[in-house]
Amino acid sequence: MPKQTQASTILQQKWIARITHARAHWATFHKRVRHNRNTVAGFNWNADPTSKDFYSLRANLIHGTISAVLPNVYARNPEISIAPSHAGADIKLFCNTLEKVTNKSLEHAQLKNRAKATVRAALTCSFGILKVMYQRDPSKDGYIQGRINDAQENLLAIEELERGLRDDQSKQASKKAELEELIQSLQEQTEVHAAEGLVIDRVLTENLLIDPSICEFWDYLDADWICQVIPMKRGQAEALYKKNLASAKMYQPGQGEFSYKKAKRLASMHLDASTAPVADDQQIAVLEIWDRTTQRVYTMVEGANEWLREPYSPPRAGERWYPFFLLPYQVVDGQFVGPSLVDLTERLQEEHNETRDRFNQHRDLCIPGWVASADINEKTIKKHSDSRFGEITIVDTEGKPLNQVIIPRGHPKIDPIVYDTSAVRYDWEQVTGLQDAARSTVVRPKTATEANILQRALSGRVFEFKDQIEDWLQEIAQYSAQVLLQELSKEQVERYMGAPLSKTTMLDGKLTITQEKTFDWPELTKEKIFDLVDLRIRAGTTGAPDGIEEKEGWLKVLPMITNLSIQMQNLQARGMDYEHIRNLLRETLLRYDDRIDSNLFMPNIEKQAEGYVDPSLGINLFSERRQRVNIETSNNSNLLKEETGNDTGG
């Protein structure tokens, strides 16, 4: 065996042992993650789908709470603002270009859908994960689940079908028909031949294995390695990596649930595949290992002792090494895993539903009935039980008073205090931070003022999670901007910003056409790219907008903005310093809402316009100038007449 091959085999065995240990380390947490998902869903898949036991929860409060939290913390895409890192740098056009390109790219990558799903995962599973990649070439890119549709995927599918034709003789007819249809689709060119752009994938919480030596959550960026477990059909993997993977181990969701002893045994076996070969449609586990120590990415599959592709280094990564972005719900000091919303409220939901179920069982005992004396014969009792509404029932009491023969049956009294759920509701509000008004379950009538107080309390209590989301989105946007600066050419940026504008001007009596730049996209080194711009998420842009409050606030601040703008215009027209007014306007808008760009409301007058009236002096500058022009015209006319007269007289 050559030395290089032997070293590669040793390295592969080393990574197999690491992955096996990591699976055993995170097995308990991953089992809890699947339990939390089932708790939120509420389905009992072992029961008859037509029975009441199939969905046994009387009130799924956890799902309702998640649905209430989500729009308060993430309702729309964030507004990204980019400014120069250095105050003296004149790169305003470049910042505007990068801002627009980044916003458009994140929108095309479906950031909102992916991010909302990740926030939901954080509420359910303790933390959620996004992976940001740039799509260019399937054979050179890292694995991208949500690839942009192009003809390259069709070519991979063709290779998969061709391989199936050679391997599986029994299904040649069906695979041949699929292959013909796919080739026909490719010839018709219904998709772009080779699409590229920013792509955002969502990674399931249990499909990311992090170096177990990391103890606190925010240290994951310093982990020596992170491995993404990618469930993939065998035929698809063979077409993508050009390898025969018949010996690969079949992937089973939840296969990480085994003891450490079993893990060691599997490690000694090098995760050998099962005896039965894996079919094309069965899933295998592809492992994409990002090793920060060596700055390399390793790709392998469980059950096969070879690299699916040669180890490589990402050519155009961002300033941070890992493309994975983790969002936690709660962070606990000294521990990597914090409690999710499901963990905090599961017992409260059970207590609430048990109380309500017992109340209903007690209520079922209160069925109206009668208690009859044993002396009454069965025929009389039956006649009484068969009586209808409005019917006169005759009972033979044999001379005894009726109230001594048959009386209404009593039932155990219901004590409302025993079945009161207000204590559970109080604990729920303390844990989740959601008040009655926020959950649309107002227990007693509240005024608009009380509802406003509750909404402010909600905003304060979920602010920490919302702040974490904005920091998380800012990291994603910063990383995306760094990748785009390295990947996009000027021709690609022009598609986002538009071609240069033609501007026509009159210069020295000649018509001149000049080109005005619509964007600026320099070619820079990585170091300059990382230090050039400062990217920020405008605070509060991800939450649900409050239309009424925003309109009322805008109506209050609008007269002040208008007054300051007029003062600046007057001072500028008179040649006086107006910087103090500009600073006042900027600070006013910043205090009102830091999402507003104050430059949009600042006039930029280079020359005093004709017809401008200075309100402080009451002088009509237009009239004054017009009088000057009339006087000059009159003087020139008189002079011309005198010269003409002299010439005639001569």
Side-chain angles (χ1 to χ4, degrees):
M1 182 180 293
K3 185 177 180 180
Q4 184 178 0
T5 305
Q6 184 177 1
S8 179
T9 302
I10 294 174
L11 183 60
Q12 291 162 9
Q13 293 176 354
K14 179 181 177 181
W15 279 114
I16 289 174
R18 284 180 175 178
I19 299 302
T20 305
H21 172 66
R23 279 192 178 278
H25 177 82
W26 297 110
T28 303
F29 169 63
H30 292 166
K31 185 176 181 180
R32 180 66 185 182
V33 165
R34 286 183 283 273
H35 167 77
N36 287 359
R37 288 203 191 101
N38 293 333
T39 301
V40 175
F43 296 113
N44 181 12
W45 297 103
N46 296 322
D48 183 4
T50 61
S51 66
K52 294 181 179 179
D53 294 334
F54 186 73
Y55 199 86
S56 58
L57 295 178
R58 180 174 297 277
N60 195 336
L61 302 179
I62 297 178
H63 183 273
T65 302
I66 292 176
S67 300
V69 170
L70 195 58
N72 282 282
V73 297
Y74 194 93
R76 49 185 173 168
N77 272 340
E79 296 180 10
I80 298 172
S81 175
I82 297 179
S85 297
H86 310 288
D90 186 16
I91 54 173
K92 185 176 180 180
L93 181 58
F94 166 67
C95 291
N96 182 46
T97 303
L98 184 59
E99 181 178 317
K100 188 172 181 179
V101 168
T102 305
N103 277 305
K104 283 280 186 78
S105 298
L106 291 175
E107 182 180 351
H108 292 165
Q110 300 181 10
L111 173 64
K112 182 178 179 181
N113 293 337
R114 306 286 194 270
K116 288 187 75 170
T118 307
V119 172
R120 192 179 290 108
L123 294 169
T124 305
C125 309
S126 179
F127 62 87
I129 308 161
L130 281 186
K131 180 182 180 182
V132 180
M133 299 290 291
Y134 191 88
Q135 170 180 327
R136 186 181 292 274
D137 186 352
S139 62
K140 298 180 180 179
D141 300 336
Y143 177 74
I144 300 174
Q145 181 180 359
R147 294 191 66 87
I148 305 172
N149 292 330
D150 61 1
Q152 297 181 85
E153 290 188 355
N154 290 340
L155 294 175
L156 291 176
I158 289 175
E159 293 182 12
E160 179 182 351
L161 289 172
E162 288 177 343
R163 186 184 297 270
L165 282 174
R166 294 192 300 268
D167 297 342
D168 194 348
Q169 301 293 332
S170 61
K171 298 181 180 179
Q172 279 193 352
S174 61
K175 290 185 177 293
K176 186 176 181 181
E178 289 183 45
L179 182 60
E180 291 175 353
E181 292 296 332
L182 196 53
I183 293 175
Q184 182 66 27
S185 172
L186 191 61
Q187 290 175 348
E188 294 176 1
Q189 296 183 355
T190 56
E191 296 175 342
V192 180
H193 178 66
E196 62 178 87
L198 200 69
V199 182
I200 298 177
D201 280 346
R202 196 176 84 81
V203 181
L204 293 181
T205 305
E206 65 271 29
N207 285 347
L208 195 73
L209 300 176
I210 302 174
D211 181 8
S213 63
I214 297 298
C215 63
E216 289 197 335
F217 184 84
W218 294 118
D219 293 338
Y220 80 91
L221 289 174
D222 298 325
D224 289 341
W225 57 271
I226 294 178
C227 173
Q228 181 186 358
V229 181
I230 306 167
M232 189 185 302
K233 291 181 180 180
R234 184 178 72 90
Q236 179 185 358
E238 289 180 340
L240 180 60
Y241 298 110
K242 311 295 188 299
K243 298 281 186 178
N244 186 356
L245 303 177
S247 62
K249 179 182 176 183
M250 186 172 64
Y251 172 77
Q252 295 287 346
Q255 63 182 356
E257 302 172 16
F258 44 69
S259 64
Y260 184 66
K261 290 183 178 179
K262 184 177 178 182
K264 291 183 68 177
R265 186 171 71 253
L266 288 175
S268 63
M269 297 169 58
H270 305 305
L271 286 178
D272 288 337
S274 57
T275 55
V278 184
D280 286 350
D281 291 339
Q282 289 178 331
Q283 287 187 326
I284 60 177
V286 175
L287 305 177
E288 187 176 82
I289 306 165
W290 291 70
D291 184 15
R292 190 177 66 89
T293 306
T294 60
Q295 302 283 296
R296 303 286 278 177
V297 180
Y298 305 97
T299 310
M300 55 192 304
V301 63
E302 286 187 342
N305 295 330
E306 62 175 330
W307 303 123
L308 290 183
R309 58 180 296 188
E310 288 301 316
Y312 67 95
S313 297
R316 297 180 178 89
E319 187 174 11
R320 52 179 280 166
W321 165 245
Y322 295 116
F324 304 102
F325 296 84
L326 277 60
L327 172 67
Y329 174 62
Q330 297 287 348
V331 178
V332 178
D333 179 59
Q335 295 192 22
F336 189 89
V337 178
S340 67
L341 184 64
V342 181
D343 299 326
L344 296 173
T345 57
E346 183 179 6
R347 290 187 61 184
L348 294 176
Q349 177 174 276
E350 290 178 356
E351 183 180 351
H352 177 275
N353 286 335
E354 286 178 1
T355 303
R356 298 293 299 158
D357 288 338
R358 290 174 181 174
F359 172 78
N360 288 340
Q361 292 172 2
H362 194 161
R363 188 177 59 185
D364 292 340
L365 295 176
C366 303
I367 299 175
W370 300 88
V371 178
S373 173
D375 298 335
I376 302 299
N377 58 47
E378 183 179 352
K379 184 177 180 181
T380 304
I381 296 176
K382 192 173 189 308
K383 182 177 181 182
H384 186 275
S385 64
D386 292 343
S387 62
R388 299 178 180 277
F389 180 76
E391 179 183 289
I392 298 176
T393 303
I394 300 175
V395 180
D396 184 7
T397 63
E398 299 179 356
K400 297 179 181 180
L402 182 63
N403 58 0
Q404 295 181 6
V405 176
I406 186 167
I407 59 175
R409 182 175 63 187
H411 54 77
K413 293 183 180 179
I414 296 178
D415 187 356
I417 298 178
V418 176
Y419 302 107
D420 184 22
T421 59
S422 59
V424 178
R425 186 166 53 250
Y426 174 79
D427 292 341
W428 196 283
E429 292 174 356
Q430 293 300 312
V431 169
T432 64
L434 288 179
Q435 302 288 342
D436 294 335
R439 289 186 285 116
S440 301
T441 56
V442 181
V443 177
R444 63 183 62 144
K446 293 182 174 70
T447 63
T449 303
E450 289 175 324
N452 189 27
I453 293 174
L454 292 178
Q455 182 62 30
R456 290 182 180 179
L458 165 68
S459 301
R461 300 182 111 183
V462 301
F463 178 78
E464 174 61 23
F465 184 43
K466 190 173 182 179
D467 185 58
Q468 285 185 171
I469 292 175
E470 292 186 351
D471 290 342
W472 173 69
L473 290 171
Q474 184 166 308
E475 288 184 8
I476 292 175
Q478 185 84 26
Y479 182 87
S480 302
Q482 293 169 356
V483 171
L484 291 171
L485 277 170
Q486 300 175 73
E487 294 283 358
L488 295 183
S489 63
K490 292 185 178 181
E491 291 75 15
Q492 291 172 307
V493 175
E494 188 174 320
R495 300 174 189 172
Y496 290 97
M497 304 298 297
L501 299 177
S502 298
K503 188 175 181 181
T504 304
T505 56
M506 184 68 71
L507 183 63
D508 297 334
K510 295 182 180 180
L511 195 63
T512 306
I513 300 177
T514 58
Q515 295 290 329
E516 184 177 353
K517 294 175 62 177
T518 56
F519 65 90
D520 184 16
W521 198 256
E523 296 179 359
L524 303 171
T525 61
K526 275 191 174 184
E527 291 73 15
K528 290 185 177 180
I529 287 174
F530 298 156
D531 298 335
L532 189 60
V533 296
D534 182 23
L535 187 147
R536 287 285 180 267
I537 299 290
R538 294 190 177 100
T541 57
T542 58
D546 190 341
I548 297 178
E549 288 191 2
E550 287 187 355
K551 290 178 182 177
E552 291 179 353
W554 178 252
L555 291 176
K556 291 179 181 178
V557 77
L558 180 60
M560 186 181 301
I561 296 175
T562 305
N563 185 28
L564 292 176
S565 298
I566 292 176
Q567 292 184 39
M568 287 173 48
Q569 195 173 13
N570 293 341
L571 292 174
Q572 191 177 26
R574 295 161 58 187
M576 300 177 64
D577 181 27
Y578 59 91
E579 191 63 27
H580 61 291
I581 306 295
R582 179 189 289 271
N583 294 333
L584 182 61
L585 177 59
R586 184 182 291 109
E587 186 65 23
T588 301
L589 292 174
L590 182 63
R591 297 291 181 91
Y592 168 69
D593 191 342
D594 57 2
R595 293 173 291 175
I596 299 178
D597 185 5
S598 59
N599 293 320
L600 300 175
F601 304 96
M602 296 180 183
N604 185 16
I605 307 174
E606 297 180 356
K607 295 182 180 180
Q608 183 176 328
E610 292 187 3
Y612 172 74
V613 180
D614 190 335
S616 61
L617 301 177
I619 301 175
N620 192 325
L621 301 179
F622 177 76
S623 300
E624 182 182 1
R625 181 177 179 183
R626 188 169 186 177
Q627 291 175 2
R628 264 198 325 268
V629 171
N630 291 338
I631 293 173
E632 292 176 358
T633 304
S634 177
N635 293 337
N636 292 336
S637 177
N638 294 334
L639 181 61
L640 180 61
K641 288 181 179 179
E642 291 177 359
E643 292 177 353
T644 304
N646 294 335
D647 292 341
T648 305

